[in-house]
Amino acid sequence: MKPKKSAKPAVHIVPKELLQPYNPVTVNLIGAGGTGGQVLTALARMNHALNALGHAGLFVRLFDDDRVDAANLGRQLFTTAELGQYKSVALINRVNRFFGTNWKAETLRYGKDLMTDRDLVSATITISCVDTVAARYEIADVLMSLTETYHGRNHVQYWMDFGNSRSSGQVILSTLEKIKQPASELFRPVADLPLVTEEFNDLLIATELGDTTPSCSLAEALTKQDLFINSALANCGASLLWQLFREGILFNRGFFLNLAEFRTQPLKVA
């Protein structure tokens, strides 16, 4: 009796135009708070490294209509000199000065109201760092609409969503369209990565912060979110994105993080 052949491991293979692009890959980063600010810094470091390796790098637009207040100091990446400024402007100006980039701050709330400017809301990769389930579903609606109505160079392909509660969270990568996969004798290529809003609706509701009113102080803010949950998620999520660009093949499409127990569980491509 012949032994059974083991099943091929499922993988997602990244399209060549992201690995060897002629122009910088467009990224829309939604949210400039605790997680978004950390993700922006990681993207800037990634862009610098990609350029050094001969890649065209990234072009990032940061969307947030909120302003810096006293409670943001310490947990988020702002200084007293930036109080009252738009978060997106403060962060983008800093990154542009430090890394010599020409990234853009959008002092707007990303949502259906911006659909009149499809060039603005469409990007090859969308990264969301928002606090509410409602915001995620609106982002999903916008992105799904763009797959049908926008066919420019920056048509939407990937959506990476960051979400967290006080000391745990998750990062999940989804595709907005079928990504053509090459034939493989070693792997089982997967063209579709499920939308986070379709696969993990209950999880999103469970991890949403119960009190979304603004905190009046850093001490109050720390009762809602651990000091290092945002940076931990941002670094692990950026590592997944770095793997996408550098290796061109993904065995995992995200992860779950429990910072209180120092435990990370990968989410396999299936």
Side-chain angles (χ1 to χ4, degrees), residues 164-170 225-234 236 255-265:
N164 68 280
S165 56
R166 188 175 185 278
S167 60
S168 63
Q170 72 284 330
Q225 293 190 54
D226 184 82
L227 181 61
F228 293 106
I229 183 63
N230 303 118
S231 54
L233 278 173
C236 290
F255 61 90
F256 300 94
L257 172 68
N258 187 320
L259 195 59
E261 299 178 6
F262 301 103
R263 177 165 46 85
T264 304
Q265 176 66 42

Side-chain angles (χ1 to χ4, degrees), residues 86-145:
Y86 282 105
K87 292 181 177 180
S88 56
V89 172
L91 292 175
I92 286 291
N93 283 346
R94 194 185 311 156
V95 163
N96 285 344
R97 286 195 301 268
F98 191 92
F99 289 94
T101 49
N102 188 32
W103 293 357
K104 302 298 182 185
E106 302 293 344
T107 58
L108 305 165
R109 179 183 174 276
Y110 187 98
K112 295 177 181 178
D113 292 343
L114 299 183
M115 282 296 288
T116 53
D117 189 349
R118 286 177 169 79
D119 288 325
L120 179 66
V121 294
S122 184
T124 303
I125 301 173
T126 299
I127 302 175
S128 54
C129 305
V130 295
D131 289 338
T132 67
V133 174
R136 285 186 178 86
Y137 276 96
E138 186 170 3
I139 291 168
D141 289 343
V142 170
L143 295 178
M144 290 303 295
S145 176

Side-chain angles (χ1 to χ4, degrees), residues 170-231:
Q170 72 284 330
V171 176
I172 297 172
L173 182 69
S174 309
T175 55
L176 279 306
E177 61 180 9
K178 283 190 175 182
I179 307 297
K180 187 177 180 180
Q181 302 287 287
S184 173
E185 295 182 359
L186 297 176
F187 305 111
R188 178 172 60 83
V190 176
D192 281 316
L193 305 180
L195 284 182
V196 59
T197 48
E198 294 178 356
E199 187 179 17
F200 294 107
N201 175 63
D202 293 341
L203 174 67
L204 294 179
I205 294 173
T207 57
E208 181 174 2
L209 297 179
D211 182 6
T212 58
T213 58
S215 301
C216 297
S217 66
L218 175 59
E220 184 180 345
L222 291 174
T223 65
K224 300 177 182 179
Q225 293 190 54
D226 184 82
L227 181 61
F228 293 106
I229 183 63
N230 303 118
S231 54

Side-chain angles (χ1 to χ4, degrees), residues 150-171:
Y150 183 87
H151 303 289
R153 181 176 65 86
N154 299 324
H155 65 281
V156 295
Q157 289 185 289
Y158 292 97
W159 175 22
M160 177 177 278
D161 179 69
F162 288 74
N164 68 280
S165 56
R166 188 175 185 278
S167 60
S168 63
Q170 72 284 330
V171 176

